[in-house]
Amino acid sequence: MSTTFRTAVVRTPGGPDSIEIIDVPIVEPGPGQVRVEIAGAAVNPVDLAVAAGVFHGRGLINQPHHTGLGWDFAGTVTAAGPDVDLSVGSRVAGLVDGFDRDFGTYAEQLVVSANDTALVPGGLDLATAATVPLNSLAAAQLVDLLGDGEGRSLLVTGAAGAVGGYVISLAQDRGWRVTGLARTQDEEFVRSLGATFTTRATPGWDAVADGAALQEQGIALVRDGGLFVGVQPGAAPAEKRGITVRVVVTRPDGARLTQLLDATASGRLPARVHAVVPLDQVSSAHREVAKGGVRGRYVLQP
Ligand SMILES: NC(=O)c1ccc[n+]([C@@H]2O[C@H](COP(=O)([O-])OP(=O)(O)OC[C@H]3O[C@@H](n4cnc5c(N)ncnc54)[C@H](OP(=O)(O)O)[C@@H]3O)[C@@H](O)[C@H]2O)c1
């Protein structure tokens, strides 16, 4: 039996071509942990930023040898440590957070806290499940920051993106009157989620959920005394005109993820896989995502 497994990392970050696949030793799960054989890991904008060295540049990553890539995963439990209820063979999905780590989900396997995982419902394939954790939890936690809408107007920027699409759905459940700002070709998708659609927003919204990370341009769309919720931790635009500014910092939450996976399986939340590609093609997948315009996620399959 092999004592190592393959994982994608960057040693010296420099964009897609700096990603390497290396062999690292297999780790046994400790108390409260499980080892997961990964079936799919989604490619997210944050991974492109890590590979480009954005967070190394901000002093948020300080790994001596290499930095792991990948936040989302879905797969099968192959070993469980002490004090874990999950059995071997369970299909789970989850999120690994934090920038500064030597491992990631772009890998054949992963050891993770069982509490950070959720069971994948029977009707959902693992590739689709791998696209759910980071961005649905980001949207759910962003909508927590919005609170109840009580009929007020909400503009979601980047409405055809992963976070934006989930925010449209979840914010309507909390009573917001939602309009999605997206590209012309995204109209059908945005309207299918029950939102009004626009390609050019004018100012005056009670709240803006900034899924496109427009930042200063996004806050300019909020009415005086309104609410802005951003997606760039550590880069909140300055408060002005009495606008409250909040920024979501997504955390793993296995219990909530269970609900979000169930909502995906039942069709209440959108399921959006762009393509499933072998882990070996990680650099080309990053290059494609960097061009923009990709809808749905690339899912890497080890
Ligand atoms: N804080 C957190 O914890 C957290 C968690 C998850 C994600 N995020 C961040 O949230 C952001 C969104 O993530 P995501 O996964 O949803 O990204 P995504 O799927 O790439 O979506 C972004 C969307 O915004 C669109 N867009 C960009 N500029 C636009 C503009 N001026 N007008 C209309 N649409 C525009 C993009 O369209 P094109 O592709 O056509 O450009 C794309 O559809 C990223 O910055 C990500 O890093 C933060």
Side-chain angles (χ1 to χ4, degrees):
M1 208 173 113
S2 175
T3 56
T4 62
F5 68 96
R6 297 165 71 238
T7 185
V9 300
V10 287
R11 288 182 219 267
T12 307
D17 293 329
S18 65
I19 302 173
E20 294 172 61
I21 297 181
I22 62 171
D23 289 302
V24 295
I26 288 176
V27 185
E28 291 306 318
Q33 293 182 322
V34 288
R35 188 168 64 223
V36 178
E37 183 180 276
I38 295 175
V43 174
N44 286 299
V46 64
D47 300 311
L48 274 68
V50 170
V54 169
F55 304 107
H56 294 78
R58 290 185 196 164
L60 298 176
I61 296 180
N62 189 19
Q63 288 296 318
H65 303 298
H66 56 74
T67 305
L69 292 169
W71 291 50
D72 278 325
F73 68 91
T76 305
V77 174
T78 54
D83 310 322
V84 171
D85 287 338
L86 280 172
S87 48
V88 169
S90 301
R91 295 180 344 128
V92 294
L95 158 66
V96 178
D97 69 338
F99 302 107
D100 195 14
R101 46 186 160 84
D102 62 357
F103 69 98
T105 65
Y106 288 12
E108 289 176 328
Q109 51 176 268
L110 175 74
V111 169
V112 65
S113 167
N115 287 337
D116 292 349
T117 71
L119 287 174
V120 176
L124 199 62
D125 64 274
L126 290 175
T128 305
T131 67
V132 175
L134 174 63
N135 297 304
S136 69
L137 283 169
Q141 292 168 12
L142 189 158
V143 171
D144 288 346
L145 297 175
L146 286 170
D148 288 328
E150 296 167 334
R152 286 177 292 163
S153 64
L154 170 69
L155 179 74
V156 178
T157 74
V163 174
Y166 289 124
V167 170
I168 289 181
S169 300
L170 298 172
Q172 289 175 98
D173 295 344
R174 295 286 297 267
W176 289 92
R177 211 159 25 88
V178 180
T179 298
L181 171 70
R183 313 283 186 198
T184 309
Q185 62 271 28
D186 298 317
E187 178 165 2
E188 190 182 336
F189 172 74
V190 171
R191 290 196 190 281
S192 76
L193 299 176
T196 305
F197 171 78
T198 184
T199 56
R200 272 179 95 97
T202 48
W205 304 86
D206 291 320
V208 167
D210 194 22
L214 301 182
Q215 299 284 83
E216 293 298 337
Q217 287 173 36
I219 204 169
L221 298 170
V222 183
R223 69 162 167 79
D224 292 359
L227 174 61
F228 173 91
V229 184
V231 295
Q232 303 282 291
E239 300 208 358
K240 55 181 83 161
R241 299 187 287 111
I243 294 169
T244 302
V245 174
R246 298 186 174 132
V247 177
V248 68
V249 181
T250 309
R251 300 287 183 220
D253 182 341
R256 194 134 194 213
L257 180 56
T258 302
Q259 298 168 1
L260 293 161
L261 287 163
D262 287 346
T264 309
S266 69
R268 281 178 288 129
L269 287 177
R272 303 170 75 198
V273 175
H274 174 75
V276 179
V277 299
L279 178 60
D280 291 337
Q281 291 177 22
V282 52
S283 296
S284 67
H286 269 224
R287 274 192 290 274
E288 287 305 313
V289 174
K291 289 178 191 164
V294 174
R295 298 294 179 263
R297 283 289 175 261
Y298 274 91
V299 176
L300 302 171
Q301 203 168 49

